[in-house]
Amino acid sequence: MNTSAQSHSLQKPKILVARAIFPDQLAKLEESFEVQSNQEDRIYSADELKKALSGVVGALVTGSERIDAGALADAKDLKIVANISVGYNNFDVPAITAAGVMASNTPDVLTDTTADFGFALLMATARRITESEHWVRAGNWKQWSLINNPLGMDLHHTTIGIIGMGRIGQGIAKRASGFGMNVIYHNRSRLPEADEKACRATYVSKEELLKTADHVVLVLPYTPENHHTIGEKELALMKPTATLVNIARGGIVDDLALAQALKAKKIFAAGLDVFEGEPTVNPELLKLSNIVLAPHIASASEKTRRAMVDLAVKNLTAAVAGTKPPSLINTELFKG
């Protein structure tokens, strides 16, 4: 083999890491790949993403990268786009599949962490924890009082309604049982009886759930059909003492309608980890005290975020090697 051919054979495959990852994980990738990385963590424009995908065989991406026909127009060598997320509404899966590119996500590794956070957000919302902290910081706490301190809503022995009963929804349900809560749920399809028993959950219609639940938690994937699953009509069905928590995706809730309902006290409080058009937050929500706001951090423990990257890397590495990625979305593409 001549020197030029030998050099070419030893050349590492080129990949894109579209957002910042932990430095040691990046260093590990660089042992096997030529890495085009974005450790400054700047979100690419559509044109920048299209250019970055050109010439790479694999890409680690996040929800901030919209992968569609336009993004893939010049990606002639691309074998896989590996999302570092369980959700993949940033993927135009038909367009990705039509381009012959595999798509993957990171299910399972973030289930418990996200369910933990969902329950924490529910507790903070119902018991007015952030509102109370702001009240204390503002110097409003002059004395203990039975009725003149912030009064919240109980969780124990109340009814929680979960919309979206996948892995994370079931995790929320199992945590709710520890508080003696009655669990009702609505899902696109009813769970098998064994899963319902494991969650101590009862299937109901969406309308019944909204009318009955003391606390409504949203854990469903974003799709065009799920856009504004909760809007003015749905909020009007809820109890004035009810809370609403969204750890799903922005767009599941009509944020303006929610702000209006909270302002008018049509529901008691809300907790949001995701928003329409995030990181921009509807200014009407920012004016309210009866809402808890978090910056899309439901999976944000270091252990879990590392596990998400590790699984995305396994998906990418498998695709580049010609084997099936562990969490392949468009399975029809794999011929192995």
Side-chain angles (χ1 to χ4, degrees), residues 193-208:
E193 184 178 354
D195 290 339
E196 285 189 343
K197 286 183 177 179
C199 296
R200 300 180 182 178
T202 301
Y203 180 82
V204 297
S205 69
K206 177 182 169 184
E207 182 174 322
E208 183 179 351

Side-chain angles (χ1 to χ4, degrees), residues 6 17 27-28 51 72 75 89 97 139 150 166 178 195 200 206 214 230 240 244 260 282 288 295 298 318 322 324:
Q6 186 177 28
V17 179
K28 184 69 176 175
K51 182 178 180 181
L72 299 174
N89 55 294
T97 303
D195 290 339
R200 300 180 182 178
K206 177 182 169 184
D214 299 298
I230 302 296
L244 176 72
Q260 293 169 340
N282 189 300
L288 300 167
K324 186 177 181 180

Side-chain angles (χ1 to χ4, degrees), residues 60-117:
L60 296 182
V61 300
T62 70
S64 59
E65 287 75 55
R66 174 66 179 167
I67 308 297
D68 54 19
L72 299 174
D74 296 332
K76 307 306 179 185
D77 300 322
L78 190 64
K79 295 182 178 181
I80 185 170
V81 281
N83 223 27
I84 310 174
S85 170
V86 63
Y88 49 90
N89 55 294
N90 57 313
F91 281 3
D92 182 338
V93 176
I96 296 170
T97 303
V101 176
M102 285 182 269
S104 65
N105 64 339
T106 58
D108 299 319
V109 294
L110 50 73
T111 298
D112 283 330
T113 298
T114 303
D116 282 352
F117 181 83

Side-chain angles (χ1 to χ4, degrees), residues 206-221:
K206 177 182 169 184
E207 182 174 322
E208 183 179 351
L209 183 148
L210 292 169
K211 288 180 176 179
T212 305
D214 299 298
H215 307 285
V216 176
V217 181
L218 306 174
V219 207
L220 63 165

